[in-house]
Amino acid sequence: SRPGVLPPWILAPKESAPPILSALYEERPCLVVNKPAGLLTQAPRGIDSLEIWVREYYRNKEGKPADANLYVGIVHRLDRCVSGAVTFTRHVRAARKLATQFSERTVGKAYWAVVEGTVAPDEGTWQDYLHKRHGMAQAEVVSADHPAAKHAVLHYRVRGRTETQTWLEIELETGRTHQIRVQASSRGHPVVGDGQYVSTTPV
């Protein structure tokens, strides 16, 4: 790893969400877009979300009226506080095919996180048992014999460091609620700016 190196987005000035959809890739019924931090992937009616942005994108592209009932398939999600690539589809068949690929883990996904403190060694695997707290959007580490415990495994590699923070590239072997955030925080390395899991570093 290279001392003093963090990803450019952690060093850049904080900006508000872009007013228009940022499309990264589009081929036939598949659309990959950049979800900004602070925006829900999907939300109940009346709450802003990336899904609404995608519907508006298709309405404009296809010349549909504002009240048109457009199908938009969501095959995976990112937490509200997370930015990154999210895939949508325009047709049910494409959504089903992609959902199968995600569930069978034939799609490669890498996550970047800047966490507090010095993570060592430079590569490793974290294994825990997690429990999603009832009625709350929050998870916690529990013992293996907890009745609702679910095994959580991730693999990480250090990409850069400063004196106080570490930039990690992470591959999830399991997909639990807030898995990266919970596992990192439980080791004393909360994701920078994640106050829900005891980060004390503002962003």
Side-chain angles (χ1 to χ4, degrees):
S1 62
R2 294 174 294 165
V5 176
L6 288 181
W9 45 262
I10 202 68
L11 303 175
K14 187 175 182 180
E15 299 178 355
S16 59
I20 58 174
L21 187 74
S22 175
L24 303 175
Y25 171 85
E26 184 171 9
E27 181 66 26
R28 295 183 178 178
C30 297
L31 175 67
V32 181
V33 299
N34 180 38
K35 186 190 88 65
L39 183 69
L40 290 165
T41 303
Q42 188 178 32
R45 185 183 299 273
I47 300 176
D48 197 20
S49 69
L50 188 61
E51 180 187 17
I52 291 175
W53 291 18
V54 170
R55 289 184 189 280
E56 187 65 21
Y57 171 84
Y58 279 127
R59 284 193 186 98
N60 292 334
K61 180 180 178 180
E62 299 172 9
K64 302 285 187 180
D67 59 351
N69 185 20
L70 297 181
Y71 173 84
V72 172
I74 304 174
V75 296
H76 68 114
R77 294 166 177 78
L78 291 175
D79 290 349
R80 183 174 194 161
C81 61
V82 177
S83 63
V86 178
T87 305
F88 291 84
T89 70
R90 187 66 179 83
H91 303 300
V92 174
R93 185 171 58 182
R96 288 174 178 167
K97 287 183 177 180
L98 282 175
T100 298
Q101 292 176 25
F102 274 95
S103 65
E104 294 178 350
R105 300 192 178 278
T106 58
V107 177
K109 293 191 291 183
Y111 298 85
W112 283 359
V114 175
V115 301
E116 296 179 2
T118 301
V119 176
D122 284 351
E123 295 186 19
T125 297
W126 293 343
Q127 297 195 53
D128 295 290
Y129 288 89
L130 304 185
H131 166 242
K132 183 180 181 298
R133 301 181 67 183
H134 181 68
M136 300 177 64
Q138 187 169 8
E140 59 185 349
V141 175
V142 295
S143 61
D145 60 359
H146 189 285
K150 293 187 177 181
H151 195 207
V153 183
L154 67 75
H155 309 284
Y156 75 85
R157 178 169 65 91
V158 174
R159 292 184 59 99
R161 284 195 178 94
T162 66
E163 293 182 357
T164 59
Q165 299 174 2
T166 306
W167 172 18
L168 301 178
E169 181 170 292
I170 295 168
E171 177 186 350
L172 290 177
E173 191 170 311
T174 56
R176 309 304 181 198
T177 299
H178 298 176
Q179 181 176 333
I180 293 173
R181 299 161 62 190
V182 176
Q183 290 192 271
S185 179
S186 71
R187 289 166 171 78
H189 302 295
V191 175
V192 170
D194 188 3
Q196 184 175 3
Y197 292 103
V198 303
S199 171
T200 58
T201 306
V203 292

mmCIF file of all heavy atoms in Angstrom, residues 1-8 10-11 113-120 122 158-168 189-190 192 201:
data_model
loop_
_atom_site.group_PDB
_atom_site.id
_atom_site.type_symbol
_atom_site.label_atom_id
_atom_site.label_comp_id
_atom_site.label_asym_id
_atom_site.label_seq_id
_atom_site.Cartn_x
_atom_site.Cartn_y
_atom_site.Cartn_z
ATOM 1 N N SER A 1 0.842 -1.194 0.000
ATOM 2 C CA SER A 1 0.000 0.000 0.000
ATOM 3 C C SER A 1 0.876 1.243 0.000
ATOM 4 O O SER A 1 2.015 1.221 0.437
ATOM 5 C CB SER A 1 -0.920 0.002 1.210
ATOM 6 O OG SER A 1 -0.160 0.033 2.387
ATOM 7 N N ARG A 2 0.333 2.353 -0.471
ATOM 8 C CA ARG A 2 1.104 3.587 -0.567
ATOM 9 C C ARG A 2 0.704 4.552 0.539
ATOM 10 O O ARG A 2 -0.436 4.997 0.584
ATOM 11 C CB ARG A 2 0.871 4.235 -1.936
ATOM 12 C CG ARG A 2 1.418 3.405 -3.094
ATOM 13 C CD ARG A 2 1.028 4.028 -4.415
ATOM 14 N NE ARG A 2 -0.425 3.972 -4.607
ATOM 15 C CZ ARG A 2 -1.070 4.694 -5.520
ATOM 16 N NH1 ARG A 2 -0.418 5.553 -6.270
ATOM 17 N NH2 ARG A 2 -2.377 4.573 -5.668
ATOM 18 N N PRO A 3 1.629 4.879 1.444
ATOM 19 C CA PRO A 3 1.304 5.832 2.510
ATOM 20 C C PRO A 3 0.856 7.175 1.942
ATOM 21 O O PRO A 3 1.372 7.644 0.930
ATOM 22 C CB PRO A 3 2.627 5.956 3.267
ATOM 23 C CG PRO A 3 3.392 4.722 2.921
ATOM 24 C CD PRO A 3 2.994 4.385 1.508
ATOM 25 N N GLY A 4 -0.084 7.791 2.618
ATOM 26 C CA GLY A 4 -0.524 9.124 2.218
ATOM 27 C C GLY A 4 -1.428 9.156 1.018
ATOM 28 O O GLY A 4 -1.678 10.207 0.448
ATOM 29 N N VAL A 5 -1.946 7.994 0.582
ATOM 30 C CA VAL A 5 -2.787 7.951 -0.606
ATOM 31 C C VAL A 5 -4.208 7.563 -0.230
ATOM 32 O O VAL A 5 -4.434 6.544 0.404
ATOM 33 C CB VAL A 5 -2.243 6.941 -1.637
ATOM 34 C CG1 VAL A 5 -3.196 6.838 -2.823
ATOM 35 C CG2 VAL A 5 -0.861 7.354 -2.101
ATOM 36 N N LEU A 6 -5.168 8.387 -0.610
ATOM 37 C CA LEU A 6 -6.586 8.077 -0.462
ATOM 38 C C LEU A 6 -7.246 8.320 -1.806
ATOM 39 O O LEU A 6 -6.724 9.060 -2.640
ATOM 40 C CB LEU A 6 -7.241 8.958 0.611
ATOM 41 C CG LEU A 6 -6.866 8.656 2.066
ATOM 42 C CD1 LEU A 6 -7.613 9.609 2.982
ATOM 43 C CD2 LEU A 6 -7.178 7.216 2.452
ATOM 44 N N PRO A 7 -8.400 7.696 -2.060
ATOM 45 C CA PRO A 7 -9.074 7.893 -3.341
ATOM 46 C C PRO A 7 -9.457 9.352 -3.526
ATOM 47 O O PRO A 7 -9.765 10.044 -2.560
ATOM 48 C CB PRO A 7 -10.311 7.001 -3.244
ATOM 49 C CG PRO A 7 -10.530 6.816 -1.784
ATOM 50 C CD PRO A 7 -9.175 6.824 -1.161
ATOM 51 N N PRO A 8 -9.464 9.849 -4.764
ATOM 52 C CA PRO A 8 -9.725 11.268 -4.998
ATOM 53 C C PRO A 8 -11.059 11.759 -4.484
ATOM 54 O O PRO A 8 -11.179 12.898 -4.068
ATOM 55 C CB PRO A 8 -9.633 11.399 -6.532
ATOM 56 C CG PRO A 8 -9.612 10.024 -7.071
ATOM 57 C CD PRO A 8 -9.158 9.109 -5.987
ATOM 58 N N ILE A 10 -12.573 11.073 -1.747
ATOM 59 C CA ILE A 10 -12.599 11.368 -0.315
ATOM 60 C C ILE A 10 -11.930 12.703 -0.025
ATOM 61 O O ILE A 10 -12.120 13.320 1.007
ATOM 62 C CB ILE A 10 -11.926 10.240 0.495
ATOM 63 C CG1 ILE A 10 -12.419 10.248 1.960
ATOM 64 C CG2 ILE A 10 -10.418 10.349 0.470
ATOM 65 C CD1 ILE A 10 -13.834 9.882 2.153
ATOM 66 N N LEU A 11 -11.114 13.175 -0.968
ATOM 67 C CA LEU A 11 -10.389 14.420 -0.779
ATOM 68 C C LEU A 11 -11.089 15.597 -1.455
ATOM 69 O O LEU A 11 -10.773 16.748 -1.189
ATOM 70 C CB LEU A 11 -8.965 14.293 -1.351
ATOM 71 C CG LEU A 11 -8.122 13.150 -0.759
ATOM 72 C CD1 LEU A 11 -6.798 13.068 -1.493
ATOM 73 C CD2 LEU A 11 -7.877 13.360 0.724
ATOM 74 N N ALA A 113 -13.931 1.600 0.548
ATOM 75 C CA ALA A 113 -14.310 2.265 1.792
ATOM 76 C C ALA A 113 -13.072 2.882 2.428
ATOM 77 O O ALA A 113 -12.011 2.245 2.466
ATOM 78 C CB ALA A 113 -14.942 1.265 2.756
ATOM 79 N N VAL A 114 -13.204 4.105 2.899
ATOM 80 C CA VAL A 114 -12.150 4.741 3.685
ATOM 81 C C VAL A 114 -12.568 4.653 5.143
ATOM 82 O O VAL A 114 -13.638 5.140 5.514
ATOM 83 C CB VAL A 114 -11.922 6.206 3.258
ATOM 84 C CG1 VAL A 114 -10.905 6.867 4.177
ATOM 85 C CG2 VAL A 114 -11.456 6.275 1.815
ATOM 86 N N VAL A 115 -11.743 4.004 5.952
ATOM 87 C CA VAL A 115 -12.092 3.759 7.345
ATOM 88 C C VAL A 115 -11.106 4.458 8.267
ATOM 89 O O VAL A 115 -9.997 4.825 7.866
ATOM 90 C CB VAL A 115 -12.109 2.247 7.649
ATOM 91 C CG1 VAL A 115 -13.109 1.536 6.745
ATOM 92 C CG2 VAL A 115 -10.722 1.626 7.494
ATOM 93 N N GLU A 116 -11.527 4.636 9.497
ATOM 94 C CA GLU A 116 -10.668 5.277 10.492
ATOM 95 C C GLU A 116 -9.593 4.302 10.985
ATOM 96 O O GLU A 116 -9.822 3.098 11.098
ATOM 97 C CB GLU A 116 -11.503 5.762 11.669
ATOM 98 C CG GLU A 116 -12.511 6.848 11.293
ATOM 99 C CD GLU A 116 -13.345 7.309 12.477
ATOM 100 O OE1 GLU A 116 -13.116 6.826 13.603
ATOM 101 O OE2 GLU A 116 -14.237 8.159 12.284
ATOM 102 N N GLY A 117 -8.409 4.843 11.263
ATOM 103 C CA GLY A 117 -7.348 4.034 11.842
ATOM 104 C C GLY A 117 -6.510 3.301 10.811
ATOM 105 O O GLY A 117 -6.688 3.463 9.599
ATOM 106 N N THR A 118 -5.594 2.481 11.303
ATOM 107 C CA THR A 118 -4.675 1.709 10.467
ATOM 108 C C THR A 118 -5.098 0.254 10.459
ATOM 109 O O THR A 118 -5.044 -0.425 11.488
ATOM 110 C CB THR A 118 -3.230 1.822 10.991
ATOM 111 O OG1 THR A 118 -2.835 3.192 10.986
ATOM 112 C CG2 THR A 118 -2.281 1.009 10.129
ATOM 113 N N VAL A 119 -5.546 -0.221 9.306
ATOM 114 C CA VAL A 119 -5.958 -1.612 9.168
ATOM 115 C C VAL A 119 -4.746 -2.465 8.843
ATOM 116 O O VAL A 119 -3.974 -2.158 7.928
ATOM 117 C CB VAL A 119 -7.025 -1.761 8.064
ATOM 118 C CG1 VAL A 119 -7.376 -3.233 7.870
ATOM 119 C CG2 VAL A 119 -8.267 -0.949 8.397
ATOM 120 N N ALA A 120 -4.552 -3.539 9.573
ATOM 121 C CA ALA A 120 -3.450 -4.458 9.336
ATOM 122 C C ALA A 120 -3.951 -5.885 9.552
ATOM 123 O O ALA A 120 -4.839 -6.120 10.383
ATOM 124 C CB ALA A 120 -2.285 -4.152 10.274
ATOM 125 N N ASP A 122 -2.174 -6.001 5.392
ATOM 126 C CA ASP A 122 -2.611 -5.336 4.169
ATOM 127 C C ASP A 122 -3.694 -6.099 3.420
ATOM 128 O O ASP A 122 -4.394 -5.519 2.595
ATOM 129 C CB ASP A 122 -1.417 -5.121 3.230
ATOM 130 C CG ASP A 122 -0.516 -3.981 3.681
ATOM 131 O OD1 ASP A 122 -0.907 -3.260 4.621
ATOM 132 O OD2 ASP A 122 0.569 -3.805 3.094
ATOM 133 N N VAL A 158 -5.777 -3.478 1.335
ATOM 134 C CA VAL A 158 -5.457 -2.069 1.542
ATOM 135 C C VAL A 158 -4.930 -1.462 0.239
ATOM 136 O O VAL A 158 -4.003 -1.981 -0.364
ATOM 137 C CB VAL A 158 -4.404 -1.897 2.658
ATOM 138 C CG1 VAL A 158 -3.972 -0.438 2.764
ATOM 139 C CG2 VAL A 158 -4.964 -2.381 3.997
ATOM 140 N N ARG A 159 -5.549 -0.352 -0.169
ATOM 141 C CA ARG A 159 -5.116 0.349 -1.378
ATOM 142 C C ARG A 159 -4.318 1.610 -1.069
ATOM 143 O O ARG A 159 -3.619 2.138 -1.925
ATOM 144 C CB ARG A 159 -6.330 0.712 -2.237
ATOM 145 C CG ARG A 159 -7.045 -0.487 -2.843
ATOM 146 C CD ARG A 159 -8.178 -0.029 -3.747
ATOM 147 N NE ARG A 159 -7.708 0.827 -4.828
ATOM 148 C CZ ARG A 159 -7.489 0.408 -6.072
ATOM 149 N NH1 ARG A 159 -7.690 -0.855 -6.395
ATOM 150 N NH2 ARG A 159 -7.085 1.256 -6.991
ATOM 151 N N GLY A 160 -4.449 2.130 0.146
ATOM 152 C CA GLY A 160 -3.720 3.347 0.496
ATOM 153 C C GLY A 160 -3.945 3.705 1.950
ATOM 154 O O GLY A 160 -4.839 3.175 2.606
ATOM 155 N N ARG A 161 -3.095 4.611 2.455
ATOM 156 C CA ARG A 161 -3.187 5.009 3.860
ATOM 157 C C ARG A 161 -2.769 6.457 4.034
ATOM 158 O O ARG A 161 -1.995 6.998 3.247
ATOM 159 C CB ARG A 161 -2.252 4.158 4.724
ATOM 160 C CG ARG A 161 -2.693 2.751 5.020
ATOM 161 C CD ARG A 161 -1.859 2.176 6.155
ATOM 162 N NE ARG A 161 -2.288 0.839 6.515
ATOM 163 C CZ ARG A 161 -1.756 -0.262 6.030
ATOM 164 N NH1 ARG A 161 -0.755 -0.166 5.155
ATOM 165 N NH2 ARG A 161 -2.186 -1.440 6.412
ATOM 166 N N THR A 162 -3.291 7.057 5.095
ATOM 167 C CA THR A 162 -2.717 8.267 5.663
ATOM 168 C C THR A 162 -2.369 7.915 7.105
ATOM 169 O O THR A 162 -2.489 6.755 7.509
ATOM 170 C CB THR A 162 -3.710 9.449 5.638
ATOM 171 O OG1 THR A 162 -4.812 9.154 6.504
ATOM 172 C CG2 THR A 162 -4.220 9.711 4.228
ATOM 173 N N GLU A 163 -1.984 8.896 7.889
ATOM 174 C CA GLU A 163 -1.654 8.615 9.283
ATOM 175 C C GLU A 163 -2.870 8.200 10.095
ATOM 176 O O GLU A 163 -2.746 7.527 11.120
ATOM 177 C CB GLU A 163 -0.998 9.839 9.925
ATOM 178 C CG GLU A 163 0.380 10.172 9.363
ATOM 179 C CD GLU A 163 1.003 11.353 10.068
ATOM 180 O OE1 GLU A 163 0.314 11.928 10.938
ATOM 181 O OE2 GLU A 163 2.153 11.697 9.751
ATOM 182 N N THR A 164 -4.063 8.596 9.641
ATOM 183 C CA THR A 164 -5.267 8.351 10.448
ATOM 184 C C THR A 164 -6.345 7.534 9.748
ATOM 185 O O THR A 164 -7.339 7.169 10.381
ATOM 186 C CB THR A 164 -5.897 9.687 10.872
ATOM 187 O OG1 THR A 164 -6.240 10.436 9.698
ATOM 188 C CG2 THR A 164 -4.924 10.494 11.733
ATOM 189 N N GLN A 165 -6.186 7.251 8.459
ATOM 190 C CA GLN A 165 -7.238 6.557 7.718
ATOM 191 C C GLN A 165 -6.649 5.503 6.782
ATOM 192 O O GLN A 165 -5.482 5.582 6.389
ATOM 193 C CB GLN A 165 -8.070 7.563 6.905
ATOM 194 C CG GLN A 165 -8.770 8.602 7.769
ATOM 195 C CD GLN A 165 -9.464 9.666 6.947
ATOM 196 O OE1 GLN A 165 -9.471 9.634 5.721
ATOM 197 N NE2 GLN A 165 -10.070 10.636 7.637
ATOM 198 N N THR A 166 -7.484 4.523 6.423
ATOM 199 C CA THR A 166 -7.082 3.459 5.508
ATOM 200 C C THR A 166 -8.119 3.307 4.413
ATOM 201 O O THR A 166 -9.326 3.278 4.689
ATOM 202 C CB THR A 166 -6.923 2.114 6.240
ATOM 203 O OG1 THR A 166 -6.029 2.268 7.338
ATOM 204 C CG2 THR A 166 -6.365 1.053 5.306
ATOM 205 N N TRP A 167 -7.644 3.192 3.188
ATOM 206 C CA TRP A 167 -8.504 3.000 2.021
ATOM 207 C C TRP A 167 -8.524 1.517 1.688
ATOM 208 O O TRP A 167 -7.476 0.922 1.402
ATOM 209 C CB TRP A 167 -7.970 3.843 0.873
ATOM 210 C CG TRP A 167 -8.609 3.628 -0.472
ATOM 211 C CD1 TRP A 167 -9.805 3.043 -0.754
ATOM 212 C CD2 TRP A 167 -8.061 4.033 -1.733
ATOM 213 N NE1 TRP A 167 -10.049 3.052 -2.100
ATOM 214 C CE2 TRP A 167 -8.998 3.653 -2.725
ATOM 215 C CE3 TRP A 167 -6.899 4.680 -2.106
ATOM 216 C CZ2 TRP A 167 -8.771 3.889 -4.080
ATOM 217 C CZ3 TRP A 167 -6.673 4.921 -3.463
ATOM 218 C CH2 TRP A 167 -7.603 4.538 -4.435
ATOM 219 N N LEU A 168 -9.725 0.892 1.750
ATOM 220 C CA LEU A 168 -9.863 -0.537 1.527
ATOM 221 C C LEU A 168 -10.632 -0.835 0.245
ATOM 222 O O LEU A 168 -11.576 -0.134 -0.105
ATOM 223 C CB LEU A 168 -10.620 -1.193 2.689
ATOM 224 C CG LEU A 168 -10.043 -1.064 4.094
ATOM 225 C CD1 LEU A 168 -10.986 -1.735 5.092
ATOM 226 C CD2 LEU A 168 -8.648 -1.676 4.166
ATOM 227 N N HIS A 189 -12.632 0.298 13.242
ATOM 228 C CA HIS A 189 -12.327 1.007 11.997
ATOM 229 C C HIS A 189 -13.624 1.422 11.284
ATOM 230 O O HIS A 189 -13.891 0.980 10.155
ATOM 231 C CB HIS A 189 -11.487 0.136 11.062
ATOM 232 C CG HIS A 189 -10.193 -0.332 11.645
ATOM 233 N ND1 HIS A 189 -9.184 0.534 11.983
ATOM 234 C CD2 HIS A 189 -9.751 -1.579 11.944
ATOM 235 C CE1 HIS A 189 -8.159 -0.159 12.464
ATOM 236 N NE2 HIS A 189 -8.479 -1.428 12.464
ATOM 237 N N PRO A 190 -14.455 2.258 11.916
ATOM 238 C CA PRO A 190 -15.701 2.666 11.253
ATOM 239 C C PRO A 190 -15.420 3.407 9.955
ATOM 240 O O PRO A 190 -14.394 4.066 9.808
ATOM 241 C CB PRO A 190 -16.372 3.578 12.276
ATOM 242 C CG PRO A 190 -15.250 4.084 13.125
ATOM 243 C CD PRO A 190 -14.275 2.955 13.206
ATOM 244 N N VAL A 192 -15.385 6.252 7.448
ATOM 245 C CA VAL A 192 -15.306 7.691 7.692
ATOM 246 C C VAL A 192 -16.656 8.361 7.413
ATOM 247 O O VAL A 192 -17.242 8.173 6.341
ATOM 248 C CB VAL A 192 -14.202 8.326 6.824
ATOM 249 C CG1 VAL A 192 -14.268 9.853 6.882
ATOM 250 C CG2 VAL A 192 -12.831 7.841 7.275
ATOM 251 N N THR A 201 -15.381 11.022 12.494
ATOM 252 C CA THR A 201 -14.744 11.872 11.492
ATOM 253 C C THR A 201 -15.796 12.486 10.583
ATOM 254 O O THR A 201 -16.520 11.760 9.877
ATOM 255 C CB THR A 201 -13.758 11.064 10.635
ATOM 256 O OG1 THR A 201 -12.836 10.396 11.488
ATOM 257 C CG2 THR A 201 -13.007 11.978 9.659
#
